[in-house]
């Protein structure tokens, strides 16, 4: 800075030199010296600015419930996202050193509130949005993103969906700006039903689901897929109940017992799952539950011993999936957030961030359309092996795990869930190529 002040004083002196009554050769000498000093001063200003200012971050909006009844899950997933973003930043970030910055927005688990939060995200000039809690919210957001991008070609948003599994999002309601990194409900049900089809002890299945779009999808897919894979299996019940309204599942347990079912397929989550499993335990009902979200934050703690040996789940990964990278991830979360007393679950958030930064680097820009074109053909090797984005519908192709919750000490496993002594044990891994279901998506590209 002192050098710059000296240079400015010298420039003033040179200006006086030029303006004095001198010969042409002397004036020319003054002009040349002024040019040299101005050039050095300008370069010093550029270097000084570059050294003193931190490089701009690449902002990613995290839009999920951070208050209300679903805040526990939203806050948990935000911790996962921050863990993965910090790991990327620690190894050098993206575009030669720019860091990711996660900006939380509270959608409250409600479509209308989430649309308000999306408007706030756009107003802050954020180009990348991560969301996944609730397919109802996702259906509202994907439409909002599409309309926004059609109207604002210089201010587009890329939607990274880590967990909203409504099949329509990558079928009839697909759009170029939406990418899903979790397996959809069809893929998960294909994994479950293919596993059931190979289990000769399964003869009678009861379907019990929450009465909304996702629950009805689970029921329909179960019927169709089991009818094809194991037509000898009898569907002995198919009930729906209000979402998060039932306090006592004893009447449903009684119906399941009367049906003679040996297996229950349910898309239930939250209290609707834990209360169901505990009611079955209390009644001495001997059935196996196939679920999609038994391992999510709070669920195993709520079910307790009732889950042991009785509850299975389908997931993109679990803490006992095995392998050095997998174990490191499970440990890293526990070490980073010991006060949370929970465990890593959504590996799809890692897929989303890792594939995003690779796409930005490949495009050599954060311009959304160029990043999207890279992302729709992106492949990378993660903790579960190679995963790849389908260009035809923007659905991630990945393997899925079927696991059973067991006593980890008895089974010699490394990780339990929420210090319960109960954790997932792999029953089977369904390869990605077996899960690439046909799509009805007709992608309109800009």
């Amino acid at each position: 800075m002192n050098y710059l002040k000296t240079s400015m004083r010298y420039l003033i002196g040179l200006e006086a030199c030029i303006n004095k009554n001198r010969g042409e050769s002397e004036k020319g000498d003054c002009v040349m010296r002024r040019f040299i000093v101005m050039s050095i001063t300008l370069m010093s200003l550029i270097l000084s600015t570059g050294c003193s200012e931190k490089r701009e971050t690449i902002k990613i909006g995290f839009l999920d419930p951070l208050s209300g009844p679903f805040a526990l899950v939203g806050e948990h997933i935000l911790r996962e996202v921050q863990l993965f973003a910090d790991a990327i930043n620690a190894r050098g970030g993206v575009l030669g050193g720019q860091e990711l910055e996660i900006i939380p927005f509270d959608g409250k688990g409600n479509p209308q509130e989430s649309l308000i939060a999306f408007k706030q995200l756009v107003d802050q000039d954020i180009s990348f949005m991560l969301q996944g809690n609730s397919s109802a919210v996702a259906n509202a957001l994907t439409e909002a993103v599409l309309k926004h991008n059609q109207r604002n070609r210089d201010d587009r948003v890329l939607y990274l969906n880590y967990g909203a599994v409504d099949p329509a999002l990558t079928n009839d309601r697909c759009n170029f700006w939406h990418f899903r990194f979790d397996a959809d409900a069809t893929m998960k049900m294909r994994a479950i039903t293919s596993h059931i089809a190979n289990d000769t002890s399964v003869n009678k299945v009861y379907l019990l689901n929450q009465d909304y779009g996702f629950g009805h999808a689970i029921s329909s897919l179960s019927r169709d897929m089991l009818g094809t894979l194991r037509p000898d299996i009898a569907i002995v019940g198919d009930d729906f109940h209000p979402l998060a309204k039932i306090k006592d599942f004893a009447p449903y347990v009684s119906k399941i017992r009367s049906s003679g079912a040996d297996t229950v397929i349910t898309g239930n989550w939250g209290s609707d799952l834990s209360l169901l499993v505990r009611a079955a335990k209390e009644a001495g009902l001997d059935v196996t539950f196939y679920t999609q979200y038994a391992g999510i934050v709070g669920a195993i703690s709520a079910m307790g011993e009732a889950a042991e040996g009785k509850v299975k789940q389908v997931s993109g990964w679990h803490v006992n999936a095995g392998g050095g990278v997998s174990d490191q991830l499970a440990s890293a979360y526990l070490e980073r957030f010991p006060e949370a007393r929970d465990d890593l679950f959504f590996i799809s958030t890692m897929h989303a961030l890792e594939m995003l930064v690779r796409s930005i680097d490949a495009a050599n820009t954060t311009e959304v359309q160029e990043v999207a074109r890279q992302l729709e053909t992106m492949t990378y090797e993660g903790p579960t092996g190679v995963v790849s984005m389908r260009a035809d519908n923007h659905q991630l192709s990945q393997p899925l795990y079927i696991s059973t919750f067991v006593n980890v000490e008895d089974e010699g496993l490394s990780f339990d869930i929420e210090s319960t002594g109960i954790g997932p044990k792999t029953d089977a891994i369904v390869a990605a190529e077996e899960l690439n279901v046909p799509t009805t998506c007709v992608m309109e590209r800009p």
Side-chain angles (χ1 to χ4, degrees), residues 95-360:
L95 291 179
Q98 285 186 261
E99 293 189 346
L100 302 183
E101 181 181 1
I102 307 302
I103 311 294
F105 293 87
D106 185 9
K108 302 179 182 178
N110 175 282
Q112 290 73 34
E113 294 287 349
S114 295
L115 290 174
I116 293 171
F118 173 66
K119 178 64 167 56
Q120 295 169 346
L121 182 151
V122 169
D123 288 345
Q124 293 188 32
D125 295 323
I126 295 175
S127 300
F128 305 105
M129 178 180 72
L130 192 64
Q131 184 273 340
N133 195 317
S134 168
S135 288
V137 170
N139 276 293
L141 285 176
T142 193
E143 185 70 21
V145 169
L146 178 61
K147 290 180 178 178
H148 170 82
N149 288 358
Q150 288 171 340
R151 298 167 182 163
N152 302 274
R153 294 181 178 274
D154 296 326
D155 188 26
R156 288 165 166 163
V157 174
L158 196 63
Y159 178 9
L160 311 174
N161 171 4
Y162 72 83
V165 298
D166 183 349
L169 290 164
T170 49
N171 283 286
D172 295 347
R173 302 200 69 188
C174 70
N175 75 70
F176 179 76
W177 312 105
H178 168 271
F179 292 82
R180 176 159 48 202
F181 297 86
D182 195 5
D184 75 3
T186 304
M187 297 165 69
K188 291 182 177 181
M189 285 311 305
R190 175 166 286 191
I192 286 176
T193 54
S194 66
H195 186 68
I196 290 176
N198 292 321
D199 185 350
T200 57
S201 69
V202 179
N203 296 293
K204 296 181 179 181
V205 171
Y206 201 103
L207 308 177
L208 181 62
N209 289 283
Q210 296 154 322
D211 191 8
Y212 75 120
F214 176 63
H216 284 268
I218 297 301
S219 171
S220 177
L221 290 166
S222 298
R223 284 185 170 277
D224 291 346
M225 292 180 179
L226 286 177
T228 299
L229 295 171
R230 280 281 304 275
D232 61 301
I233 290 179
I235 305 296
V236 295
D238 191 358
D239 283 343
F240 299 96
H241 63 81
L243 176 65
K245 300 288 186 182
I246 305 298
K247 302 302 180 184
D248 182 8
F249 275 86
Y252 292 96
V253 168
S254 179
K255 291 181 69 175
I256 295 169
R257 186 195 298 279
S258 298
S259 74
D262 50 60
T263 302
V264 174
I265 296 177
T266 179
N268 281 19
W269 50 271
S271 62
D272 286 339
L273 177 60
S274 58
L275 290 174
L276 170 62
V277 173
R278 286 166 56 188
K281 171 74 171 178
E282 291 168 3
L285 179 65
D286 185 18
V287 297
T288 299
F289 292 91
Y290 278 85
T291 76
Q292 298 201 13
Y293 296 111
I296 204 168
V297 59
I300 292 299
S301 292
M303 286 185 273
E305 292 182 357
E308 188 176 332
K310 298 297 182 183
V311 175
K312 296 180 182 289
Q313 72 169 355
V314 59
S315 59
W317 173 86
H318 62 78
V319 292
N320 290 314
V325 174
S326 178
D327 288 351
Q328 288 170 15
L329 286 175
S331 296
Y333 182 87
L334 293 172
E335 292 168 4
R336 174 71 186 278
F337 303 108
E339 73 288 347
R341 300 180 183 276
D342 59 11
D343 304 87
L344 196 62
F345 181 78
F346 278 101
I347 201 67
S348 52
T349 56
M350 179 181 184
H351 294 332
L353 292 183
E354 291 287 352
M355 295 181 82
L356 173 64
V357 299
R358 284 164 170 76
S359 298
I360 291 173

Side-chain angles (χ1 to χ4, degrees), residues 52-65:
S52 62
E53 292 184 5
K54 186 178 179 180
R55 296 190 67 179
E56 186 177 355
T57 59
I58 295 175
K59 295 179 174 61
I60 298 174
F62 175 81
L63 200 168
D64 256 337

